[in-house]
Amino acid sequence: MTDLAPLLTPEGRALLDEVRDTDPAQELAVATRLRREHPAELVSAALGQARLRQRAVAKFGAEDAGRMFFTPNGVEQSTRASVAAYRARRMADLGITSVADLCCGIGGDAIALARAGIRVLAVDRDPRTAAAARANADALGLAGLVEVREADVTDVDTAGFDAVFVDPARRGGRGRIFDPEAYSPPLSWAVSAARRAPRAAALKIAPGIPHEAVPEDAEAEWISDGGDVKEAVLWFGTQPGAVRATLLPGPRTLLSRGLPDPEVRPPGRYLYEPDGAVIRAHLVAEVADRVGGGLLDATIAYVTADALHPTPYATAYEITDHLPFNVKKLKALLRERRVGTLTVKKRGSAVEPEELRRKVKPQGPHAATVFLTRVAGAPAMLIGHPVRA
């Protein structure tokens, strides 16, 4: 029996419904009242699950999160539903009809694959996690397409599946793991499993993976959602050697064309801040080419141009002032412009945004954005505002 088992009983499910919207500040009072009619362990489990469901709304949406079952690690490490749905659509578009989902966690990717009409074997060695994945497939009406197996993924025969998806554990007892060979299972094992897949494979990895660690026969894709980089994926059986950045919602995909690094040039009227997935994928040159721009500094991913060329792959700002870094001058300029709402962005600067705000003390009805960066190696400030689409 797992910790989830009592919550799957009629009494447990009724209790989950009752505590669904419990305010954390009221938990003690609610627990005291409910323990008069229910076992204390069941009440604690229900309230704990309610907290996890509330946290999971950001990833899964209120409707699914309110029906699913979570573990603390499962909420933290599971794939965001929008990203999983995008990947499942890619799989379906490749003609994939069955996937072995290895290291499935609480089943976020398995759910997305099943909703795309793909049969899934979901495997995890942790009993509680596998139980959550099984409960989630059942709760969302997908049990007919998702088989959950509690096992070590290295012992699973995937020969009967079109594709494999591997999401190795990238956290250990001391936090995030940066060495791909320290993943569980190691990246080298996952790559071997991917190469054995009959049709295609996808490996979820940390977005900070060095480009030199990407196998030559893999396609590398960096994915952002709402401007936040969520993950990188190594694809096998698609476009070997391809590099892409995919932005959600959309999706919008920018493919590498192998362009040389952009030239460094003086600041123009517009500054373009590439999406994080574009930067991680080393596709800043593709953005610069699209907008007819260059770099402010050879080591910094800010693009500058004289003309406005809207692109989904970067946020455009109109620059009104370019100054050497000087807090007093910035404070005087903001006072003169009556700027009270100051957005501080930094790249290549040691100054912390909150520290700068305290020093300049912005006051007034207007808003501005200041970029703390380098221009041709020299510390600089660029002041402007975002261009509205």
Side-chain angles (χ1 to χ4, degrees), residues 4 12 47 57 70 88 101-103 118 135 141 148 158 162-163 176 183 226 244 267 269 284 298 304 312 315 317 346:
L4 283 179
L47 286 169
V57 168
F70 299 96
D101 178 2
L102 308 180
C103 310
I118 296 172
V148 178
T158 62
D162 291 343
R176 194 181 303 274
Y183 291 174
R244 69 172 69 206
R269 181 177 177 182
V284 174
T304 185
T315 302
Y317 295 82
K346 55 170 274 185

XYZ file of all heavy atoms in Angstrom, residues 4 12 47 57 70 88 101-103 118 135 141 148 158 162-163 176 183 226 244 267 269 284 298 304 312 315 317 346:
219
model
N -0.721 7.155 -1.134
C -1.894 7.654 -1.855
C -3.121 6.764 -1.666
O -4.242 7.221 -1.864
C -1.583 7.755 -3.351
C -0.736 8.923 -3.824
C -0.526 8.827 -5.332
C -1.415 10.252 -3.488
N -11.603 8.972 1.276
C -10.495 9.859 0.938
C -10.855 10.849 -0.144
O -10.520 12.042 -0.064
N -5.064 17.177 3.377
C -4.635 18.578 3.392
C -3.306 18.746 2.655
O -3.103 19.736 1.941
C -4.511 19.064 4.837
C -5.845 19.326 5.556
C -5.612 19.551 7.044
C -6.561 20.527 4.948
N -1.406 24.056 -9.977
C -2.271 24.789 -10.915
C -1.434 25.537 -11.944
O -1.788 25.597 -13.130
C -3.193 25.758 -10.144
C -3.881 26.729 -11.098
C -4.236 24.970 -9.359
N -0.388 14.182 -6.550
C 0.984 14.653 -6.656
C 1.838 14.187 -5.485
O 1.324 13.915 -4.395
C 1.017 16.188 -6.722
C 0.287 16.758 -7.904
C -1.029 17.187 -7.779
C 0.906 16.850 -9.142
C -1.708 17.694 -8.872
C 0.238 17.359 -10.235
C -1.078 17.781 -10.105
N 4.144 16.208 -27.329
C 3.269 15.118 -27.763
C 2.769 15.348 -29.188
O 2.667 14.400 -29.981
C 2.092 14.981 -26.796
N 7.611 5.771 -21.962
C 7.947 6.967 -21.186
C 8.743 6.520 -19.969
O 8.185 5.992 -19.004
C 6.646 7.679 -20.784
C 6.883 8.917 -19.939
O 8.049 9.265 -19.689
O 5.884 9.545 -19.521
N 10.054 6.702 -20.037
C 10.951 6.211 -18.999
C 11.277 7.318 -18.009
O 11.597 8.428 -18.401
C 12.237 5.674 -19.645
C 12.018 4.654 -20.778
C 13.356 4.194 -21.353
C 11.193 3.463 -20.301
N 11.186 7.001 -16.718
C 11.262 8.011 -15.644
C 10.055 8.934 -15.764
O 10.183 10.152 -15.877
C 12.556 8.810 -15.704
S 14.060 7.828 -15.819
N -1.707 8.622 -28.374
C -0.546 7.731 -28.377
C -0.623 6.775 -27.191
O -0.902 7.199 -26.063
C 0.753 8.552 -28.327
C 0.881 9.411 -29.595
C 1.969 7.646 -28.177
C 2.023 10.403 -29.564
N -2.782 6.765 -10.727
C -3.995 7.451 -10.283
C -4.351 8.596 -11.219
O -5.539 8.860 -11.472
C -3.802 7.968 -8.859
N -9.247 9.884 -17.129
C -9.906 9.048 -18.130
C -8.981 8.517 -19.201
O -9.422 8.253 -20.329
N 1.031 1.907 -16.439
C 2.079 2.357 -15.527
C 2.756 1.145 -14.925
O 2.099 0.227 -14.428
C 1.515 3.268 -14.421
C 2.621 3.686 -13.464
C 0.843 4.493 -15.022
N 12.000 -1.951 -24.498
C 11.204 -0.963 -25.237
C 11.058 -1.321 -26.709
O 10.579 -0.510 -27.494
C 11.851 0.428 -25.122
O 13.169 0.385 -25.713
C 11.971 0.857 -23.665
N 7.185 2.449 -30.769
C 7.723 3.279 -31.847
C 8.832 4.202 -31.363
O 9.790 4.472 -32.091
C 6.616 4.168 -32.449
C 5.579 3.390 -33.222
O 5.853 2.231 -33.584
O 4.493 3.949 -33.482
N 8.665 4.726 -30.153
C 9.571 5.768 -29.675
C 9.780 5.629 -28.179
O 9.006 4.968 -27.480
C 9.004 7.155 -29.991
N 20.280 20.508 -7.501
C 20.343 20.322 -8.942
C 21.668 19.690 -9.364
O 22.736 20.021 -8.848
C 20.166 21.683 -9.630
C 19.874 21.591 -11.118
C 19.751 22.987 -11.709
N 18.710 23.769 -11.039
C 17.439 23.743 -11.375
N 17.034 22.960 -12.357
N 16.562 24.500 -10.738
N 23.149 12.302 -14.019
C 21.696 12.136 -14.063
C 21.359 10.694 -13.656
O 22.202 9.791 -13.702
C 21.151 12.357 -15.472
C 21.217 13.768 -16.021
C 20.850 14.010 -17.344
C 21.627 14.844 -15.251
C 20.891 15.287 -17.891
C 21.675 16.124 -15.778
C 21.303 16.341 -17.104
O 21.359 17.598 -17.638
N 5.986 31.390 -22.409
C 5.730 32.715 -21.863
C 6.993 33.484 -21.566
O 7.009 34.339 -20.675
N 17.322 24.246 -32.705
C 16.143 25.092 -32.806
C 15.749 25.652 -31.448
O 16.045 25.052 -30.401
C 14.961 24.326 -33.417
C 14.381 23.227 -32.538
C 13.088 22.669 -33.142
N 13.326 21.908 -34.367
C 12.419 21.748 -35.324
N 11.225 22.294 -35.207
N 12.684 21.017 -36.378
N 25.202 51.631 -30.508
C 23.772 51.522 -30.229
C 22.931 52.275 -31.261
O 23.246 53.404 -31.634
C 23.617 52.154 -28.837
C 24.975 52.028 -28.231
C 25.947 52.168 -29.355
N 18.662 52.964 -32.631
C 17.432 53.457 -32.015
C 16.715 52.355 -31.243
O 15.977 52.638 -30.292
C 16.515 54.027 -33.101
C 15.214 54.588 -32.559
C 14.385 55.214 -33.662
N 13.101 55.704 -33.172
C 12.164 56.260 -33.928
N 12.388 56.427 -35.238
N 11.023 56.669 -33.406
N 21.250 33.877 -31.477
C 21.180 35.338 -31.471
C 21.527 35.887 -32.856
O 20.954 36.883 -33.301
C 22.118 35.920 -30.393
C 22.174 37.440 -30.479
C 21.648 35.489 -29.005
N 30.477 41.987 -27.989
C 30.688 40.667 -28.574
C 30.290 39.533 -27.641
O 30.010 38.422 -28.102
C 32.162 40.511 -28.973
N 21.201 45.396 -31.365
C 20.801 46.777 -31.604
C 20.638 47.004 -33.096
O 21.326 46.399 -33.919
C 21.823 47.768 -31.017
O 21.334 49.100 -31.162
C 23.177 47.656 -31.697
N 8.847 37.643 -33.215
C 8.412 36.934 -32.002
C 9.572 36.412 -31.176
O 9.374 36.012 -30.031
C 7.578 35.778 -32.558
C 8.093 35.557 -33.941
C 8.491 36.913 -34.439
N 12.136 40.751 -27.785
C 11.339 41.907 -27.366
C 12.076 43.171 -27.787
O 13.269 43.317 -27.512
C 11.129 41.905 -25.849
O 10.492 40.679 -25.474
C 10.255 43.073 -25.421
N 12.788 47.275 -27.811
C 12.731 48.472 -26.976
C 13.223 49.658 -27.805
O 14.217 49.540 -28.529
C 13.612 48.327 -25.734
C 13.161 47.255 -24.774
C 13.486 45.921 -24.998
C 12.405 47.572 -23.650
C 13.083 44.926 -24.127
C 11.998 46.583 -22.768
C 12.331 45.269 -23.016
O 11.923 44.274 -22.151
N 19.632 43.628 -16.731
C 21.091 43.622 -16.702
C 21.624 42.410 -17.444
O 21.037 41.330 -17.425
C 21.614 43.633 -15.277
C 21.080 42.517 -14.386
C 21.809 42.441 -13.081
C 23.054 41.586 -13.212
N 23.752 41.372 -11.944
